[in-house]
């Protein structure tokens, strides 16, 4: 039996911890397809002023919640959005965190020092509001880990985790969640092996990487296999991890 059928039949509720619904040609279809396949919740992420505003519009608080923020590749003038974040989160219960935010030394053309300032400014707001941050770290995991340590971040999800098992363990010991995208690799398998299931969540980053939120099903199946657990027990615990971090 395919995982898709299994999750439909036994009514498991899955979560896509990170997607970009505003980038779909028709996000309403993406949401309804996901819902039909057992994806009960989706967290859609902003990364610029425009995409954050789009995420706010899409998040209805039933199936879809938003995180908003300025990512390290956004045009630096978008940092004028940062002072608005606090007011938006306080007045909109469907906006449940700040992200994606972080450092990108691979793709972003933004000066590294400016990236760090934009990252830290948003971490401070998240701490004030006691909401989680969703972290983007590309070619920059060491600097991100150092900043998160220095800032004594309490609640964080490492989106599309690219680090190794040692880094994963360090972050899990601090209580952060490691998000696994729908791309299997031997490095990622070692990361999954080294973590307790209580530190693991799944995401699609769709439509950038996965085809849609529905792709979390395959990743949950892969993790279940690695952990030697049933699909349903794995799914239930992963869903619980996301709900707990974001208080959904
Ligand atoms: Zn993303």
């Amino acid at each position: 039996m395919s995982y898709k059928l299994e999750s439909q039949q036994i009514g498991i509720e899955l979560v896509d911890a990170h997607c970009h619904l505003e980038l779909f040609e028709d996000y309403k279809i993406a949401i309804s397809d996901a819902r039909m396949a057992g994806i009960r919740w989706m967290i859609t992420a902003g990364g610029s002023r425009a995409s954050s505003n789009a995420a706010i519009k899409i998040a209805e608080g039933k199936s879809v919640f938003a995180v908003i923020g300025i990512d390290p590749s956004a045009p630096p003038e978008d940092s004028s959005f940062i002072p608005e974040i606090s007011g938006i989160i306080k007045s909109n219960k469907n906006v449940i965190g700040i992200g994606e935010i972080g450092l990108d030394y691979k793709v972003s053309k933004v000066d590294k020092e400016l990236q760090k300032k934009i990252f830290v400014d948003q971490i401070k707001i998240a701490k004030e509001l006691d909401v989680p941050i969703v972290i983007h770290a590309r070619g920059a995991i060491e600097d991100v880990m150092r900043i998160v340590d220095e800032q004594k971040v309490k609640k964080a999800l490492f989106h599309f985790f690219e680090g190794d098992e040692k880094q994963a363990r360090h972050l899990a010991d601090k209580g952060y969640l490691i998000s696994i995208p729908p791309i299997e690799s031997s490095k990622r398998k070692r990361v999954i092996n080294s973590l307790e299931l209580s530190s693991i969540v799944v995401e699609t980053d769709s439509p950038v990487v996965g085809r849609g939120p529905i792709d979390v099903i395959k990743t949950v199946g892969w993790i279940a296999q690695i952990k030697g657990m049933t699909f349903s027990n794995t799914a239930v615990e992963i869903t619980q991890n996301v709900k707990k971090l974001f208080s959904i």
Side-chain angles (χ1 to χ4, degrees):
M1 191 189 299
S2 77
Y3 292 125
K4 185 177 168 187
L5 280 172
E6 193 178 335
S7 64
Q8 276 170 328
Q9 282 173 5
I10 53 182
I12 295 167
E13 298 183 321
L14 294 160
V15 187
D16 183 352
H18 187 100
C19 54
H20 296 276
L21 291 173
E22 92 281 1
L23 296 178
F24 281 89
E25 215 177 281
D26 186 336
Y27 71 81
K28 287 185 178 156
I29 291 177
I31 294 168
S32 67
D33 282 355
R35 288 294 311 265
M36 281 200 310
I39 320 302
R40 174 66 181 80
W41 293 282
M42 289 145 254
I43 299 176
T44 194
S48 62
R49 177 185 283 278
S51 63
S52 291
N53 281 326
I56 294 165
K57 266 200 199 124
I58 295 170
E60 25 60 336
K62 240 171 62 200
S63 312
V64 184
F65 291 90
V67 293
I68 59 169
I70 300 303
D71 72 31
S73 297
E77 62 267 24
D78 271 19
S79 55
S80 64
F81 182 70
I82 295 172
E84 299 172 30
I85 291 175
S86 179
I88 294 169
I89 291 180
K90 281 181 188 159
S91 63
N92 188 335
K93 62 179 179 5
N94 304 336
V95 182
I96 54 175
I98 300 184
E100 50 187 284
I101 61 173
L103 302 176
D104 190 319
Y105 296 165
K106 248 188 203 155
V107 178
S108 173
K109 303 256 187 309
V110 178
D111 170 74
K112 286 183 184 177
E113 290 312 309
L114 182 55
Q115 287 189 33
K116 286 178 194 165
K117 184 186 179 320
I118 290 172
F119 184 32
V120 170
D121 285 351
Q122 295 177 97
I123 288 176
K124 287 181 175 156
I125 298 168
K127 280 166 62 186
E128 252 173 55
L129 298 175
D130 193 29
V131 295
I133 57 172
V134 172
I135 293 177
H136 170 112
R138 205 162 185 191
I141 187 77
E142 292 290 347
D143 276 4
V144 164
M145 286 172 68
R146 187 178 44 74
I147 289 173
V148 164
D149 258 359
E150 281 168 7
Q151 295 296 321
K152 301 187 170 61
V153 170
K154 283 212 187 88
K155 300 175 181 175
L157 180 151
F158 279 74
H159 142 62
F160 214 109
F161 186 71
E162 285 186 332
D164 61 25
E165 63 264 43
K166 218 180 129 210
Q167 291 162 331
R169 271 246 56 89
H170 175 80
L171 296 170
D173 288 344
K174 293 191 164 275
Y176 307 140
L177 294 181
I178 303 297
S179 188
I180 306 295
I183 298 175
E184 298 178 11
S185 73
S186 50
K187 184 181 182 186
R188 206 156 268 140
K189 187 176 174 182
R190 287 196 299 274
V191 165
I192 294 165
N193 253 322
S194 75
L195 294 172
E196 306 285 335
L197 195 57
S198 57
S199 300
I200 297 176
V201 301
V202 292
E203 67 167 69
T204 62
D205 209 15
S206 61
V208 185
V209 179
R211 294 160 304 159
I214 194 168
D215 279 353
V216 291
I217 294 170
K218 207 172 140 260
T219 309
V220 171
W222 185 49
I223 295 169
Q225 197 186 25
I226 293 170
K227 293 288 185 198
M229 292 172 64
T230 64
F231 179 88
S232 58
N233 286 347
T234 310
V236 166
E237 188 162 347
I238 287 175
T239 295
Q240 209 44 50
N241 297 340
V242 181
K243 287 179 70 179
K244 200 175 145 200
L245 178 71
F246 290 99
S247 310
I248 294 174

